[in-house]
Amino acid sequence: MNENHILLVDDDQELTELLSDYLEAEGVKVSVENSAKAALVRLQSDESFDLAVFDIMMPEMSGLELLQQLRPRLQLPVIMLTGRGGDIDRILGLEMGADDYLAKPCNPRELLARIRAVLRRAQQRPESDAAQLLTCWGVALDPSTREVSFGSHSIDFTSAEFNVLYQFMQHPGEILSKSKLTETVLHRSLTAYDRAIDVHVSRVRQKLAPFTGQKELIKTIRGEGYLFVRDNQ
């Protein structure tokens, strides 16, 4: 974690100081902005970050608006901080390209765990340098470069969405449970009322649809999970 640099964006200065102190004590370099507008300017500059944490509820510009301004041009991993009752905000954040969310007030230790999990999957590379290109239904996925394409067209995916598709293309014709996908993609356990993996799967479907036409490549198997249809079916 020593080389990781994150941007923490929240208008609550007391909270950002508390979280910054904890994260830096754990070896994370933290920069803080107390407004979404200031964060947008900073992120549009040449400064490089490995991950950003956005509070949703901020004056003038919300965390959701900030995320919308950044996606899809900037594929920086993002964790959203939401109110405990903000289910709609959480889903909107994921649909706009957030990688994960955490309810406020949040435990600094839990935030650190989420940061590590998101960074781990964003930086994930195949164990073997000889990892092969995966192709199915005209979609090509390169594990070594983490790029997805259809013919000459590149398809942009967040790190979570890429890992969802990677799991599906590695296991065509197999039912993958939501709990298994949550563990392998989000690097955490599935919790009650957790919709994160469902939204990531939905986003993958939406991004593939313009290229694969009417084919339903990812099927929902009620009560069991999801299935990526084999190419020869």
Side-chain angles (χ1 to χ4, degrees):
M1 293 289 289
N2 288 351
E3 297 180 359
N4 293 130
H5 185 190
I6 76 165
L7 179 64
L8 178 60
V9 186
D10 196 310
D11 61 314
D12 185 336
Q13 295 187 27
E14 185 176 345
L15 177 62
T16 55
E17 287 178 10
L18 184 151
L19 293 176
S20 295
D21 288 346
Y22 179 85
L23 293 173
E24 290 186 337
E26 294 294 326
V28 183
K29 181 180 178 181
V30 181
S31 293
V32 173
E33 291 294 347
N34 293 120
S35 79
K37 286 187 175 181
L40 181 60
V41 171
R42 190 161 188 177
L43 287 166
Q44 289 175 333
S45 73
D46 294 331
E47 188 161 3
S48 177
F49 294 96
D50 298 296
L51 178 144
V53 179
F54 298 162
D55 181 30
I56 283 186
M57 297 300 294
M58 290 184 285
E60 297 186 345
M61 179 188 286
S62 71
L64 290 175
E65 291 172 308
L66 174 58
L67 184 63
Q68 189 174 38
Q69 293 273 348
L70 296 172
R71 295 289 194 245
R73 179 186 59 81
L74 185 64
Q75 291 301 316
L76 177 74
V78 172
I79 297 174
M80 305 296 291
L81 299 181
T82 76
R84 286 203 179 275
D87 289 342
I88 293 176
D89 286 339
R90 295 173 196 178
I91 292 171
L92 280 173
L94 292 170
E95 288 178 342
M96 288 180 183
D99 291 79
D100 209 346
Y101 59 78
L102 188 61
K104 293 176 69 175
C106 63
N107 184 309
R109 185 175 180 181
E110 175 65 12
L111 177 60
L112 177 63
R114 292 295 178 96
I115 288 171
R116 283 176 169 160
V118 172
L119 285 172
R120 189 158 58 244
R121 69 173 181 257
Q123 298 165 353
Q124 185 176 325
R125 289 291 183 273
E127 292 181 6
S128 170
D129 291 336
Q132 306 233 336
L133 185 74
L134 300 177
T135 59
C136 195
W137 298 105
V139 177
L141 181 150
D142 189 336
S144 62
T145 61
R146 295 182 66 82
E147 294 177 347
V148 180
S149 60
F150 186 90
S152 61
H153 299 278
S154 177
I155 310 175
D156 292 326
F157 286 96
T158 65
S159 62
E161 293 162 2
F162 178 91
N163 288 347
V164 165
L165 182 59
Y166 184 45
Q167 288 300 315
F168 282 140
M169 292 183 71
Q170 277 193 310
H171 305 282
E174 297 180 28
I175 297 174
L176 301 181
S177 69
K178 292 182 183 180
S179 59
K180 179 66 174 177
L181 280 170
T182 300
E183 289 169 5
T184 55
V185 172
L186 303 182
H187 297 283
R188 59 178 173 82
S189 298
L190 181 68
T191 58
Y193 311 111
D194 189 345
R195 293 283 311 281
I197 202 67
D198 299 301
V199 177
H200 289 312
V201 170
S202 176
R203 292 279 294 167
V204 171
R205 280 176 171 148
Q206 291 171 21
K207 290 183 177 183
L208 291 179
F211 303 98
T212 57
Q214 300 300 313
K215 298 184 185 72
E216 186 186 7
L217 302 190
I218 303 172
K219 292 188 175 182
T220 300
I221 310 300
R222 190 165 183 175
E224 296 189 56
Y226 297 100
L227 179 145
F228 189 77
V229 179
R230 288 185 182 276
D231 203 347
N232 59 358
Q233 291 186 0

